[in-house]
Amino acid sequence: MIQISPSVLSADLAKLYDECVAIDAAGADLIHLDVMDGAFVPNLTFGAPVIKGARPATKLPFDVHLMINEPIRYIADFAKAGADILTVHIEACSDLGATIDAIRAAGVRVGVSVKPNTPAEALFPWLDKIDMALVMTVEPGFGGQGLIEETLPKIAALRAEADRCGLALDIEVDGGIKAENIGHVASFGANIFVAGSSVFGKPDRAAAIATLRAAAEQ
Ligand code: DX5
Ligand code: ZN
């Protein structure tokens, strides 16, 4: 099933609670929250207290993308704040197995992400332990960048490996997703689509989400 996860990185963060209410009403399936530490990526955003503050705004799942070094240090905090999916970067974890176990133990769905230059095969040994693979289609750190076409075959490789192993893996893509390319990206086997600027940057967000969904389902 196709799901659209608008990224609040492109929302008005001074009104994060209201933006979550509005994007729920506009038809989002999940809400994507980008946590950046200024070390793993060259940008800073927000942490668990801000997510906790937005949590009562909606019942939609909070899809929390941790772009931070050694996220194992904060898993319990993000779980308590109301995350439903916690996605860590394979490049940011010195002990990925322990990090996955910590997320699972906190009762949260597990995602693991790869940056554009990390091969899909790096995730293969972990696929039976996770719920979602996140293929970054831009270098993480900023919204509004152009999609890197060369990342797309990694989606197909992950889908093929998941199918071979009989796993119902969610594959999410993040970065540069817009109405003009989402059908092409979906054809590689992704089923969850993060969209920042192509939703929050549009005056009619409900129409933007509906357009993305229709184009992905074709
Ligand atoms: C970038 C973030 C993305 C970002 C996507 O590092 O992980 O979630 O918000 O923004 P767009 O959709 O504008 O490329
Ligand atoms: Zn993200």
Side-chain angles (χ1 to χ4, degrees):
M1 189 182 51
I2 298 294
Q3 295 193 303
I4 308 294
S5 188
S7 167
V8 299
L9 189 60
S10 294
D12 182 346
L13 288 172
K15 299 191 287 191
L16 178 59
Y17 186 102
D18 296 342
E19 294 281 62
C20 289
V21 171
I23 211 65
D24 181 339
D29 299 300
L30 309 153
I31 297 181
H32 188 83
L33 297 130
D34 287 302
V35 177
M36 304 187 189
D37 66 354
F40 180 68
V41 288
N43 198 3
L44 277 167
T45 56
F46 48 78
V50 170
I51 292 173
K52 185 180 178 194
R55 184 61 279 189
T58 173
K59 291 192 164 61
L60 290 181
F62 271 6
D63 168 28
V64 178
H65 180 191
L66 298 177
M67 286 163 276
I68 63 179
N69 283 324
E70 302 299 354
I72 194 168
R73 298 174 292 161
Y74 301 108
I75 297 306
D77 290 346
F78 285 106
K80 279 194 211 114
D84 297 282
I85 306 170
L86 278 172
T87 298
V88 299
H89 270 266
I90 194 169
E91 306 89 353
C93 299
S94 57
D95 188 340
L96 183 60
T99 309
I100 290 170
D101 289 348
I103 299 172
R104 193 69 74 199
V108 175
R109 288 169 65 80
V110 182
V112 180
S113 183
V114 283
K115 295 206 289 182
N117 290 329
T118 302
E121 289 72 20
L123 289 178
F124 285 7
W126 305 101
L127 293 186
D128 62 344
K129 299 176 183 64
I130 69 178
D131 301 294
M132 185 176 87
L134 168 53
V135 175
M136 288 306 299
T137 41
V138 298
E139 286 297 337
F142 300 92
Q145 304 180 74
L147 178 140
I148 302 169
E149 174 77 25
E150 290 73 20
T151 59
L152 301 182
K154 295 199 292 186
I155 303 166
L158 283 162
R159 181 57 73 207
E161 179 67 6
D163 287 350
R164 191 183 71 78
C165 300
L167 301 169
L169 182 74
D170 282 320
I171 303 181
E172 181 176 63
V173 285
D174 183 6
I177 301 296
K178 50 183 83 165
E180 293 73 29
N181 61 23
I182 193 169
H184 177 58
V185 177
S187 73
F188 287 84
N191 65 300
I192 305 180
F193 299 85
V194 178
S197 46
S198 65
V199 170
F200 284 101
K202 295 280 159 70
D204 185 343
R205 291 150 173 194
I209 291 171
T211 301
L212 287 167
R213 192 189 306 284
E217 281 171 351
Q218 289 214 334

